[in-house]
Amino acid sequence: MTTFITINSITKVHKLLGLKPPKHPLVSVISVEDMQHHIDLGNARISLDLFVISLKEDVQCNFGYGRNSYDFTNGTMVFSKPGQVLTPQSATVSENPTGWMLFFHPDLIRKSGLGKSIDNYSFFSYEVFEALHLSEEEKMTLTDLISKIEKEYQQQIDKHSQKLIISNIELLLDYCLRYYDRQFYVRTNLNQDHVTKFEAFLRTYFQSDKPSELGLPTVKYCGEQLHMSSNYLSDLLKKETGKSAKDHIDTFVVNKAKNKLMGSTASISKIAFDLGFDYPQHFSTLFKKKTGISPAKYRTLN
């Protein structure tokens, strides 16, 4: 039977793991060794109301596909944001797994600049199999920042503590952005395959009856069909082509519309509905945004 566990405080994390009370109410660094020794979550589903950043080594998780040769094997990072539900995956664990997990409550950063920009770190919405794989040097850089965060809250807390902790978390996240860029770069051949598959998916979708049945494909829907998260798909496309997934979809739709406008006498309303728009004016707005002229004007000029 599945057990549901809700974790909405740092204190609950420590209690769950059988650890001493946290030194700071809003942030904590916990070693993977402590987690392995204290609890087996079994089939529990965990609802997290915290941000979690984890680095694990010697834990080879099975997510349904093997690693490619260009992946680093010295460390794997996974990110989770409040509201996500985590489920266990099958894993092979060594006798001495290493690594750390950084937990922090949204209240820690709520009034800070990081609180306003946290959504820019889109990897918090990636799936687990879209993890960040680190080189030894990269792992050392991030672990050093984690040590600074841990040292800061373990000593006597003063008026500077929270600012310094947040600054180090933000620096850690910025390094992760850089390392994901590196990962996208070294995976360029695989990413090009994904771009090709995405473009093929759009062609197949609009050649079928799905636009009139389901409407315009969302980025989330496209990601699901390609077995990746919407954020990862969009970031991958942005790195490879300079355009987000939404931009690709909009451009594809407008190009299809151009062909229909020039290759048929169908009304603009019918073309809009055939492409999946609920309202013709939404189609006209997108078309004008992309081309600078209305669909009717485009048909007349061409």
Side-chain angles (χ1 to χ4, degrees):
M1 182 176 178
T2 301
T3 301
F4 291 88
I5 302 172
T6 299
I7 300 177
N8 53 17
S9 71
I10 300 299
T11 298
K12 283 191 175 182
V13 173
H14 278 242
K15 284 183 177 179
L16 180 67
L17 298 175
L19 303 176
K20 295 179 181 179
K23 295 284 187 179
H24 193 290
L26 299 177
V27 61
S28 184
V29 175
I30 299 174
S31 69
V32 169
E33 295 94 318
D34 288 339
M35 296 189 69
Q36 293 290 335
H37 294 162
H38 282 89
I39 191 168
D40 180 4
L41 296 176
N43 293 321
R45 291 172 61 87
I46 303 169
S47 177
L48 276 172
D49 290 332
L50 306 170
F51 288 97
V52 186
I53 303 171
S54 65
L55 170 65
K56 297 181 181 181
E57 294 186 274
D58 298 322
V59 181
Q60 179 61 59
C61 293
N62 180 9
F63 300 114
Y65 73 101
R67 275 191 189 168
N68 292 283
S69 60
Y70 40 72
D71 283 338
F72 290 97
T73 58
N74 294 324
T76 301
M77 289 193 72
V78 177
F79 305 82
S80 177
K81 65 180 180 180
Q84 291 181 311
V85 176
L86 305 183
T87 55
Q89 304 285 342
S90 61
T92 302
V93 184
S94 73
E95 291 184 2
N96 298 298
T98 59
W100 44 259
M101 297 189 76
L102 169 65
F103 295 83
F104 63 95
H105 196 281
D107 286 350
L108 177 73
I109 63 171
R110 200 174 300 281
K111 296 181 180 180
S112 68
L114 179 57
K116 297 180 178 66
S117 65
I118 191 72
D119 288 340
N120 294 335
Y121 300 98
S122 54
F123 44 75
F124 276 108
S125 296
Y126 288 177
E127 296 291 344
V128 174
F129 57 79
E130 295 158 348
L132 175 61
H133 302 289
L134 302 174
S135 68
E136 187 67 23
E137 184 178 353
E138 291 167 347
K139 183 187 67 176
M140 290 174 62
T141 297
L142 299 183
T143 300
D144 181 59
L145 288 170
I146 286 294
S147 297
K148 290 179 179 178
I149 293 169
E150 191 172 15
K151 181 179 179 180
E152 190 59 45
Y153 70 68
Q154 284 182 341
Q155 64 187 10
Q156 186 173 354
I157 297 175
D158 57 30
K159 65 179 182 180
H160 301 287
S161 299
Q162 187 156 324
K163 181 179 179 181
L164 291 169
I165 290 170
I166 293 172
S167 294
N168 278 295
I169 292 175
E170 186 168 18
L171 186 55
L172 184 147
L173 294 176
D174 286 340
Y175 271 110
C176 290
L177 275 178
R178 168 185 280 182
Y179 299 156
Y180 258 117
D181 280 351
R182 182 268 303 154
Q183 184 162 295
F184 280 122
Y185 176 76
V186 299
R187 288 181 168 197
T188 187
N189 289 337
L190 177 63
N191 290 344
Q192 283 295 336
D193 288 343
H194 286 315
V195 173
T196 301
K197 289 178 181 178
F198 176 64
E199 292 172 345
F201 166 76
L202 290 179
R203 287 195 298 271
T204 301
Y205 186 89
F206 282 98
Q207 286 169 358
S208 70
D209 295 328
K210 289 182 179 179
S212 57
E213 295 173 358
L214 304 177
L216 291 171
T218 63
V219 178
K220 184 176 185 296
Y221 178 82
C222 293
E224 289 171 349
Q225 299 305 304
L226 296 171
H227 308 294
M228 62 182 72
S229 68
S230 57
N231 278 30
Y232 192 86
L233 172 62
S234 197
D235 289 347
L236 180 155
L237 290 168
K238 189 78 171 178
K239 295 294 187 300
E240 289 296 318
T241 68
K243 297 192 299 182
S244 69
K246 182 65 165 60
D247 289 334
H248 274 273
I249 294 169
D250 289 347
T251 299
F252 190 93
V253 169
V254 168
N255 286 335
K256 288 287 291 185
K258 287 179 178 178
N259 292 336
K260 287 178 177 290
L261 287 166
M262 297 306 300
S264 75
T265 58
S267 68
I268 291 172
S269 292
K270 186 177 188 313
I271 290 174
F273 290 130
D274 288 346
L275 289 171
F277 288 89
D278 292 327
Y279 303 101
Q281 56 266 40
H282 292 172
F283 163 61
S284 296
T285 298
L286 174 63
F287 193 93
K288 188 170 184 179
K289 178 182 176 182
K290 286 291 185 179
T291 66
I293 57 177
S294 69
K297 186 72 171 177
Y298 179 85
R299 176 175 267 173
T300 301
L301 291 176
N302 290 277

